Coordinates of all heavy atoms in Angstrom, one line a residue:
Chain A
A63 N 197.3 85.9 73.7 CA 197.0 84.8 72.7 C 195.8 84.0 73.2 O 194.9 83.7 72.4 CB 198.2 83.9 72.6
Q64 N 195.8 83.6 74.5 CA 194.7 82.8 75.0 C 193.4 83.5 74.9 O 192.4 82.9 74.5 CB 195.0 82.5 76.5 CG 194.2 81.3 77.0 CD 194.2 80.2 76.0 OE1 195.2 79.7 75.6 NE2 193.0 79.8 75.6
R65 N 193.4 84.8 75.2 CA 192.2 85.6 75.1 C 191.6 85.6 73.7 O 190.4 85.4 73.5 CB 192.5 87.0 75.6 CG 191.3 88.0 75.6 CD 191.5 89.1 76.6 NE 192.8 89.7 76.6 CZ 193.1 90.8 75.9 NH1 192.1 91.5 75.3 NH2 194.3 91.3 75.9
I66 N 192.5 85.8 72.7 CA 192.1 85.8 71.4 C 191.5 84.5 70.9 O 190.5 84.4 70.3 CB 193.3 86.2 70.4 CG1 193.6 87.7 70.7 CG2 192.9 86.1 69.0 CD1 194.8 88.2 70.0
R67 N 192.2 83.4 71.3 CA 191.8 82.1 71.0 C 190.4 81.8 71.5 O 189.5 81.3 70.8 CB 192.8 81.0 71.5 CG 193.7 80.5 70.4 CD 194.5 79.3 70.9 NE 195.7 79.7 71.6 CZ 196.9 80.0 71.0 NH1 197.0 79.8 69.7 NH2 197.9 80.4 71.7
T68 N 190.2 82.2 72.7 CA 188.9 82.0 73.4 C 187.8 82.7 72.6 O 186.7 82.2 72.3 CB 188.9 82.5 74.8 OG1 190.1 82.0 75.5 CG2 187.6 82.1 75.6
L69 N 188.1 84.0 72.3 CA 187.2 84.8 71.6 C 186.8 84.2 70.2 O 185.7 84.2 69.8 CB 187.8 86.2 71.4 CG 187.1 87.4 71.9 CD1 186.5 87.2 73.3 CD2 188.0 88.6 71.9
A70 N 187.8 83.8 69.5 CA 187.6 83.2 68.2 C 186.7 82.0 68.3 O 185.8 81.9 67.5 CB 189.0 82.8 67.6
K71 N 186.9 81.2 69.3 CA 186.1 80.0 69.4 C 184.7 80.4 69.8 O 183.7 79.9 69.2 CB 186.7 79.1 70.5 CG 186.2 77.6 70.4 CD 187.1 76.6 71.1 CE 188.3 76.3 70.1 NZ 189.3 75.5 70.8
E72 N 184.6 81.3 70.7 CA 183.3 81.8 71.2 C 182.4 82.4 70.0 O 181.2 82.1 69.9 CB 183.5 82.8 72.3 CG 182.3 83.2 73.1 CD 182.7 84.2 74.1 OE1 183.8 84.1 74.7 OE2 181.9 85.1 74.4
F73 N 183.0 83.2 69.3 CA 182.3 83.9 68.2 C 182.2 82.9 66.9 O 181.5 83.3 66.0 CB 183.1 85.1 67.7 CG 183.0 86.3 68.7 CD1 183.7 87.5 68.5 CD2 182.3 86.1 69.9 CE1 183.6 88.5 69.4 CE2 182.2 87.2 70.8 CZ 182.9 88.4 70.5
G74 N 182.9 81.8 67.0 CA 182.8 80.9 65.9 C 183.5 81.4 64.6 O 182.9 81.4 63.5
Y75 N 184.7 81.9 64.8 CA 185.4 82.5 63.7 C 185.8 81.4 62.6 O 186.3 80.4 63.0 CB 186.6 83.2 64.1 CG 187.5 83.6 63.0 CD1 187.2 84.7 62.2 CD2 188.7 82.9 62.7 CE1 188.0 85.0 61.1 CE2 189.5 83.3 61.7 CZ 189.2 84.3 60.9 OH 190.0 84.7 59.9
V76 N 185.4 81.7 61.4 CA 185.8 80.8 60.3 C 186.5 81.7 59.3 O 185.9 82.7 58.8 CB 184.7 80.1 59.6 CG1 185.1 79.3 58.4 CG2 184.0 79.2 60.6
P77 N 187.7 81.4 58.9 CA 188.4 82.3 58.0 C 187.7 82.4 56.6 O 187.1 81.4 56.2 CB 189.8 81.7 57.8 CG 189.7 80.3 58.4 CD 188.6 80.3 59.4
N78 N 187.8 83.5 56.0 CA 187.1 83.7 54.7 C 188.1 83.4 53.6 O 189.2 84.0 53.5 CB 186.7 85.2 54.6 CG 186.1 85.5 53.3 OD1 186.8 85.3 52.3 ND2 184.9 86.0 53.3
R79 N 187.7 82.3 52.8 CA 188.7 81.9 51.8 C 189.0 82.9 50.8 O 190.1 83.0 50.2 CB 188.1 80.7 51.1 CG 188.3 79.4 51.7 CD 187.0 78.6 51.6 NE 186.9 77.8 50.4 CZ 185.8 77.6 49.8 NH1 184.7 78.1 50.3 NH2 185.7 76.9 48.7
A80 N 188.0 83.7 50.5 CA 188.2 84.7 49.4 C 189.4 85.7 49.9 O 190.3 85.9 49.1 CB 187.0 85.5 49.1
G81 N 189.2 86.2 51.1 CA 190.3 87.1 51.6 C 191.6 86.4 51.6 O 192.7 86.9 51.2
R82 N 191.6 85.2 52.2 CA 192.8 84.4 52.3 C 193.5 84.2 51.0 O 194.7 84.4 50.8 CB 192.4 83.0 53.0 CG 193.4 82.0 53.2 CD 194.8 82.6 53.6 NE 195.6 81.6 54.2 CZ 196.8 81.3 53.8 NH1 197.3 81.9 52.7 NH2 197.6 80.5 54.5
A83 N 192.7 83.7 50.0 CA 193.2 83.4 48.7 C 193.9 84.6 48.1 O 195.0 84.6 47.5 CB 192.1 82.9 47.8
L84 N 193.2 85.7 48.2 CA 193.6 87.0 47.6 C 195.0 87.4 48.2 O 195.9 87.7 47.5 CB 192.6 88.0 47.8 CG 192.4 89.0 46.7 CD1 192.4 88.3 45.4 CD2 191.0 89.7 46.9
A85 N 195.0 87.4 49.5 CA 196.2 87.9 50.2 C 197.4 87.0 49.9 O 198.5 87.5 49.8 CB 195.9 87.9 51.7
A86 N 197.1 85.7 49.9 CA 198.2 84.7 49.8 C 198.4 84.3 48.4 O 198.9 83.2 48.1 CB 197.9 83.6 50.7
S87 N 198.0 85.1 47.4 CA 198.1 84.6 46.0 C 199.6 84.5 45.5 O 199.8 83.8 44.5 CB 197.3 85.5 45.1 OG 197.7 86.8 45.3
K88 N 200.5 85.1 46.3 CA 201.9 84.8 45.9 C 202.4 83.6 46.6 O 203.4 83.0 46.2 CB 202.8 86.0 46.3 CG 202.3 87.4 46.0 CD 201.8 88.1 47.3 CE 201.6 89.6 47.1 NZ 202.9 90.3 47.1
T89 N 201.8 83.2 47.7 CA 202.3 82.0 48.4 C 201.1 81.0 48.5 O 200.4 80.9 49.5 CB 202.7 82.4 49.8 OG1 201.6 83.1 50.4 CG2 204.0 83.1 49.9
P90 N 200.9 80.3 47.4 CA 199.8 79.4 47.3 C 199.9 78.2 48.3 O 200.9 78.0 48.9 CB 199.8 78.9 45.9 CG 201.1 79.3 45.3 CD 201.9 80.1 46.3
F91 N 198.7 77.6 48.4 CA 198.7 76.3 49.2 C 199.3 75.2 48.4 O 198.7 74.9 47.4 CB 197.3 76.0 49.6 CG 196.6 77.1 50.5 CD1 195.7 77.9 49.9 CD2 197.0 77.2 51.8 CE1 195.1 78.9 50.6 CE2 196.4 78.2 52.5 CZ 195.4 79.0 52.0
K92 N 200.3 74.6 48.9 CA 200.9 73.5 48.1 C 200.6 72.1 48.8 O 200.9 71.9 49.9 CB 202.4 73.7 48.1 CG 203.1 73.2 46.9 CD 204.5 73.8 46.8 CE 205.2 73.4 45.5 NZ 206.6 74.0 45.5
I93 N 199.9 71.3 48.0 CA 199.5 70.0 48.5 C 200.3 68.9 47.7 O 200.3 68.9 46.5 CB 198.0 69.7 48.4 CG1 197.3 70.8 49.2 CG2 197.6 68.3 48.7 CD1 195.8 70.7 49.2
G94 N 200.9 68.0 48.4 CA 201.7 66.9 47.8 C 200.9 65.6 47.7 O 200.2 65.3 48.7
V95 N 200.9 65.0 46.6 CA 200.2 63.7 46.4 C 201.1 62.6 46.0 O 201.9 62.7 45.1 CB 199.1 63.9 45.3 CG1 198.3 62.6 45.2 CG2 198.2 65.0 45.6
L96 N 201.0 61.5 46.7 CA 201.8 60.3 46.4 C 200.9 59.2 45.9 O 200.0 58.8 46.6 CB 202.6 59.8 47.7 CG 203.2 58.4 47.6 CD1 204.2 58.3 46.5 CD2 203.8 58.1 48.9
L97 N 201.2 58.7 44.7 CA 200.4 57.7 44.1 C 201.3 56.6 43.5 O 202.3 56.9 42.8 CB 199.6 58.2 42.9 CG 198.6 59.3 43.2 CD1 197.9 59.8 41.9 CD2 197.5 58.8 44.1
P98 N 201.0 55.3 43.8 CA 201.7 54.2 43.1 C 201.1 54.0 41.8 O 200.7 52.9 41.5 CB 201.5 53.1 44.1 CG 200.2 53.3 44.8 CD 200.0 54.8 44.8
G99 N 201.1 55.0 40.9 CA 200.4 55.0 39.7 C 201.1 54.5 38.5 O 200.6 54.3 37.4
I100 N 202.5 54.4 38.6 CA 203.2 54.0 37.4 C 202.9 52.5 37.1 O 203.0 51.6 37.9 CB 204.7 54.1 37.7 CG1 205.1 55.6 37.9 CG2 205.5 53.6 36.5 CD1 206.5 55.9 38.2
G101 N 202.4 52.3 35.9 CA 202.0 51.0 35.4 C 200.7 50.5 36.0 O 200.4 49.3 35.9
N102 N 199.9 51.4 36.6 CA 198.6 51.0 37.1 C 197.6 52.0 36.6 O 197.4 53.1 37.1 CB 198.7 51.0 38.7 CG 197.4 50.3 39.3 OD1 196.4 50.2 38.6 ND2 197.5 49.9 40.5
L103 N 196.8 51.5 35.6 CA 195.9 52.4 35.0 C 194.8 52.9 35.9 O 194.2 54.0 35.7 CB 195.2 51.6 33.8 CG 196.1 51.3 32.6 CD1 195.3 50.5 31.6 CD2 196.5 52.7 32.0
F104 N 194.5 52.1 36.9 CA 193.5 52.6 37.9 C 193.7 54.0 38.3 O 192.8 54.8 38.5 CB 193.5 51.6 39.1 CG 192.6 52.1 40.2 CD1 191.3 51.9 40.2 CD2 193.2 52.8 41.3 CE1 190.5 52.4 41.3 CE2 192.4 53.2 42.4 CZ 191.1 53.0 42.3
F105 N 195.0 54.3 38.6 CA 195.3 55.7 39.1 C 195.1 56.8 38.1 O 195.1 58.0 38.5 CB 196.7 55.7 39.8 CG 196.7 55.0 41.1 CD1 197.1 53.7 41.2 CD2 196.2 55.6 42.2 CE1 197.1 53.0 42.4 CE2 196.2 55.0 43.5 CZ 196.7 53.7 43.6
D106 N 194.9 56.5 36.9 CA 194.6 57.5 35.9 C 193.3 58.3 36.3 O 193.3 59.5 36.2 CB 194.4 56.9 34.5 CG 195.8 56.6 33.9 OD1 196.8 56.8 34.6 OD2 195.8 56.1 32.8
D107 N 192.3 57.5 36.7 CA 191.1 58.2 37.1 C 191.3 59.0 38.4 O 190.7 60.1 38.5 CB 190.0 57.1 37.4 CG 189.6 56.5 36.1 OD1 189.7 57.1 35.0 OD2 189.1 55.3 36.1
V108 N 192.1 58.5 39.3 CA 192.4 59.3 40.5 C 193.0 60.6 40.1 O 192.6 61.6 40.6 CB 193.3 58.5 41.5 CG1 193.6 59.3 42.7 CG2 192.6 57.1 41.9
K109 N 194.0 60.5 39.2 CA 194.6 61.7 38.8 C 193.7 62.7 38.1 O 193.8 63.9 38.3 CB 195.8 61.3 37.8 CG 197.1 60.9 38.5 CD 198.2 60.6 37.5 CE 198.1 59.2 37.0 NZ 199.1 58.8 36.0
A110 N 192.7 62.1 37.3 CA 191.7 63.0 36.7 C 191.0 63.8 37.7 O 190.7 65.0 37.6 CB 190.8 62.2 35.8
G111 N 190.6 63.1 38.8 CA 189.9 63.8 39.9 C 190.8 64.9 40.6 O 190.3 66.0 40.9
I112 N 192.1 64.6 40.7 CA 193.0 65.6 41.3 C 193.0 66.8 40.4 O 193.0 68.0 40.9 CB 194.4 65.0 41.5 CG1 194.3 63.9 42.5 CG2 195.4 66.0 41.8 CD1 195.6 63.0 42.7
L113 N 193.1 66.6 39.1 CA 193.2 67.7 38.2 C 191.9 68.6 38.2 O 191.9 69.8 38.1 CB 193.4 67.2 36.7 CG 194.8 66.7 36.5 CD1 194.9 66.2 35.0 CD2 195.8 67.7 36.8
K114 N 190.8 67.9 38.4 CA 189.5 68.6 38.6 C 189.5 69.5 39.8 O 189.1 70.7 39.8 CB 188.3 67.7 38.7 CG 187.6 67.4 37.4 CD 186.3 66.8 37.6 CE 185.7 66.4 36.2 NZ 184.6 65.4 36.3

Side-chain angles (χ1 to χ4, degrees):
Chain A
Q64 197 45 54
R65 182 152 46 97
I66 293 174
R67 257 189 278 271
T68 312
L69 236 42
K71 200 156 278 172
E72 193 179 322
F73 289 178
Y75 170 74
V76 176
N78 177 303
R79 275 138 86 212
R82 177 35 161 124
L84 217 42
S87 52
K88 315 104 165 285
T89 51
F91 300 105
K92 212 166 183 179
I93 296 178
V95 182
L96 164 59
L97 299 177
I100 297 179
N102 190 341
L103 289 175
F104 170 81
F105 284 99
D106 284 359
D107 289 334
V108 178
K109 276 182 275 178
I112 292 170
L113 289 183
K114 263 197 188 159

